[in-house]
Amino acid sequence: MSVTDAIHELIPLLQRAHTLGTIADLLGWDEQVNLPPGAAEGRGNQQAILAAVQHAAASEPRIGALLAGLESAAGALPVEQAAVAKQARRDYDHATKLPADFVREKAVQDSRGYHAWARARAASDFAGYAPVLEKNLEFARREAAYLGHASAPYDYMLDKFDPGLTTATVDRLFGELKRELVPLVRAITASPVAARAREVGERLRGYPIEAQRAFLREVTAQLGFDYERGRIDVALHPFCSGAGNDVRMTTRYNVDQPLDALFSSIHETGHGLYEQGIPVAHLGTALGMHAGMAVHESQSRLWENQVARSRGFWRHFEPRWRERFPSQTAGVSSEDLYLAINAVEPTLIRVDADEVTYNLHIVLRFEMEKKLFAGELAVRDLPAAWREASRELVGLEPANDREGVLQDVHWSGGAFGYFPSYCIGNMMAAQLWQRLRALRPNLEEDFARGDFGWLLRWLRENIHVHGRRISGLELIQRATGEALSPQPLVRYLRERYGTLYRA
Ligand code: ZN
């Protein structure tokens, strides 16, 4: 069988498994947006049956046979087909190398873990949760071993979310970032401007939801989100799912926090624009798949932060904002509004953090995960280690474990190695921003005219259209001409926030 014939037989099999996955995603979206409470159990049943069908499609033996043939002819494969085969191997191994018993046990453990975490968090009782966490770590190590990574389980966890990312790389990038960011945050928060930003933020109250909805719809459409190929709805937690011609975003509204729905929608729009820019014809293969969680996050953060918190952006949108909310904005000056949009305040809780301090929350979690996997930190010592790291990095010490080690859901479901993507994504966004401004020094003038077309086209051509042909780190290196570094992020934060806070 020729290499071309093998690829032509392989692709429909991959796309079938992918399409089944998209149906599961749609059920998940519906569960969070529309599901009547009484239908929850029935939905669980639908999802379990679909997951079994999807797993059978992804572990179809013919895929394995075709891959073996392609791998024996590896040198003869054109670059694109080699990328397709490589990703298919990752997915196939993941579907077939984990014993059925292990998958079943882990599903039970993940669900149990979630409920144990929710109980422990409510009672701020880490001791009751520690055995669950120990078990989750053991499951993670076993999974890594089944996939051939027994000697470096944390590398395996990182690579799962961001192909090619290693502990050593993250360690180096975060170490450098930490040294520069901690003093910058201290200087900003000591500035009298910080208190003013907080005070203005608290004055933004009574913004009717219908007007918020209309405004954010106007903004996200103008940024380039195609509402013919996607939609936005309300859910408890904002997220973005789907790809290509059917992208589903969600947000949530609070009349007294109008910036929250706006910025979380712009964040999800960044994810949505990426998914809408991935070549539809290739969905289900490496050519039609995002390059990893960090690159995904770089897209959401770039639009949310570098773009939508800029002065140029608000030169265009501020008059429109005032038009929609005339009485609410009457006593708020332009400078006050800009300050509220760029408020910085250290907090114990990651999800409440601003874009400057957020990174330190991630560094903290990475340091904990790294030590847990290296056996340098025992689960029972985690709360004390967390408190110490929080004091050192964020400058605040949690009074209890609910505000500390118990605040995030991720570990309860075994999602170790996921956190670093958020901060790596911020670094990537800042490095892309640096490159964009070198290419087009007056980029913010585009924004001031309400024109985001040049920016979106550049991202389409340099990031979106490439799918997963190469790793996220390589993709950013190609797009920016430099290896990923924390320096552009430090420079950007210093330029925007150091100036604003006179720090
Ligand atoms: Zn995101």
Side-chain angles (χ1 to χ4, degrees):
M1 178 180 239
S2 78
V3 160
T4 313
D5 287 347
I7 282 280
H8 282 147
E9 192 185 336
L10 176 67
I11 287 174
L13 293 172
L14 300 178
Q15 292 190 319
R16 179 167 186 273
H18 165 78
T19 301
L20 287 164
T22 65
I23 301 171
D25 287 347
L26 208 51
L27 286 182
W29 169 84
D30 180 71
E31 185 172 13
Q32 297 199 47
V33 172
N34 295 313
L35 201 71
E41 204 181 313
R43 176 54 45 88
N45 193 25
Q46 291 172 323
Q47 279 166 326
I49 289 173
L50 189 58
V53 175
Q54 205 271 340
H55 183 260
S59 44
E60 165 67 50
R62 186 67 189 150
I63 296 178
L66 290 165
L67 282 176
L70 286 168
E71 283 158 359
S72 67
L77 283 182
V79 185
E80 295 200 338
Q81 298 186 350
V84 169
K86 188 178 167 198
Q87 178 62 34
R89 166 59 68 194
R90 269 176 80 97
D91 293 341
Y92 187 70
D93 282 355
H94 199 263
T96 57
K97 285 198 170 175
L98 300 174
D101 282 352
F102 174 79
V103 173
R104 220 175 1 252
E105 273 177 63
K106 187 172 181 316
V108 173
Q109 172 67 14
D110 287 352
S111 159
R112 220 180 258 158
Y114 174 78
H115 294 292
W117 166 76
R119 269 195 312 273
R121 181 166 172 260
S124 199
D125 165 33
F126 182 79
Y129 175 59
V132 174
L133 205 46
E134 267 158 19
K135 188 123 196 170
N136 285 357
L137 278 166
E138 181 202 317
F139 271 92
R141 286 205 177 88
R142 277 172 66 194
E143 183 181 321
Y146 287 129
L147 271 301
H149 300 282
S151 62
Y154 192 56
D155 277 354
Y156 164 77
M157 298 311 283
L158 290 168
D159 181 89
K160 236 171 104 168
F161 301 109
D162 284 294
L165 200 62
T166 63
T167 315
T169 305
V170 180
D171 210 20
R172 177 174 57 74
L173 293 170
F174 283 11
E176 197 179 329
L177 178 69
K178 181 167 99 170
R179 275 195 299 282
E180 309 227 25
L181 197 50
V182 170
L184 178 63
V185 167
R186 296 286 189 277
I188 288 175
T189 50
S191 157
V193 183
R196 169 123 190 100
R198 192 164 48 239
E199 183 259 316
V200 179
E202 280 161 11
R203 272 199 281 134
L204 303 180
R205 293 182 163 270
Y207 285 66
I209 285 169
E210 211 28 67
Q212 286 193 43
R213 195 196 312 274
F215 183 74
L216 73 80
R217 170 100 188 191
E218 178 192 340
V219 171
T220 52
Q222 201 157 344
L223 296 180
F225 187 79
D226 181 355
Y227 278 98
E228 291 292 310
R229 302 197 294 138
R231 50 184 293 140
I232 188 162
D233 293 273
V234 174
L236 199 55
H237 302 288
F239 65 90
C240 176
S241 71
N245 291 331
D246 189 2
V247 175
R248 309 289 175 106
M249 309 192 291
T250 64
T251 190
R252 57 182 173 203
Y253 297 96
N254 179 336
V255 285
D256 295 328
Q257 284 172 354
L259 296 176
D260 192 48
L262 177 63
F263 280 94
S264 80
S265 308
I266 296 172
H267 178 98
E268 300 309 332
T269 296
H271 286 305
L273 289 170
Y274 186 13
E275 291 293 348
Q276 288 186 334
I278 284 172
V280 174
H282 294 295
L283 289 178
T285 79
L287 309 182
M289 185 181 288
H290 67 78
M293 292 315 301
V295 174
H296 228 307
E297 204 57 22
S298 79
Q299 300 305 289
S300 58
R301 298 297 175 117
L302 180 78
W303 289 97
E304 176 194 358
N305 295 328
Q306 277 84 1
V307 175
R309 295 183 202 277
S310 71
R311 290 200 186 268
F313 179 95
W314 282 96
R315 261 164 54 208
H316 178 73
F317 282 112
E318 189 187 328
R320 286 158 179 77
W321 172 263
R322 289 184 184 278
E323 230 166 77
R324 301 238 187 222
F325 307 103
S327 60
Q328 292 84 348
T329 52
V332 183
S333 72
S334 295
E335 197 53 29
D336 278 352
L337 178 61
Y338 186 69
L339 201 52
I341 286 161
N342 289 290
V344 177
E345 187 182 13
T347 156
L348 287 163
I349 306 296
R350 174 185 61 88
V351 296
D352 295 336
D354 56 79
E355 73 156 321
V356 186
T357 53
Y358 192 89
N359 299 293
L360 298 173
H361 289 270
I362 299 305
V363 172
L364 184 158
R365 284 153 180 77
F366 166 72
E367 289 183 353
M368 299 295 117
E369 288 186 342
K370 185 185 69 169
K371 286 180 191 159
L372 284 170
F373 275 87
E376 292 166 11
L377 177 64
V379 166
R380 65 173 179 278
D381 297 327
L382 198 47
W386 186 289
R387 278 194 295 276
E388 193 189 321
S390 180
R391 196 172 49 232
E392 176 207 339
L393 290 164
V394 188
L396 299 170
E397 188 172 323
N400 54 55
D401 291 337
R402 192 211 314 247
E403 294 179 338
V405 65
L406 287 173
Q407 65 181 275
D408 301 305
V409 66
H410 302 56
W411 294 345
S412 76
F416 302 102
Y418 187 92
F419 285 119
S421 308
Y422 294 123
C423 181
I424 301 275
N426 281 339
M427 288 183 196
M428 289 175 168
Q431 191 157 318
L432 288 169
W433 182 243
Q434 178 175 283
R435 175 75 180 145
L436 286 158
R437 293 207 312 170
L439 289 170
R440 197 170 173 84
N442 292 327
L443 185 54
E444 280 199 37
E445 293 301 315
D446 288 3
F447 302 168
R449 287 193 310 275
D451 180 358
F452 302 91
W454 183 89
L455 172 60
L456 182 55
R457 270 193 304 281
W458 192 91
L459 292 172
R460 288 264 190 268
E461 286 165 18
N462 290 279
I463 304 289
H464 304 178
V465 80
H466 299 293
R468 192 172 281 200
R469 280 176 173 76
I470 51 178
S471 77
L473 290 173
E474 288 170 293
L475 186 61
I476 296 298
Q477 177 151 10
R478 265 191 220 178
T480 65
E482 286 168 58
L484 184 68
S485 151
Q487 288 309 323
L489 177 60
V490 171
R491 221 170 289 142
Y492 154 76
L493 292 173
R494 216 173 255 150
E495 205 176 291
R496 179 167 289 175
Y497 292 91
T499 311
L500 189 60
Y501 286 81
R502 298 188 281 278

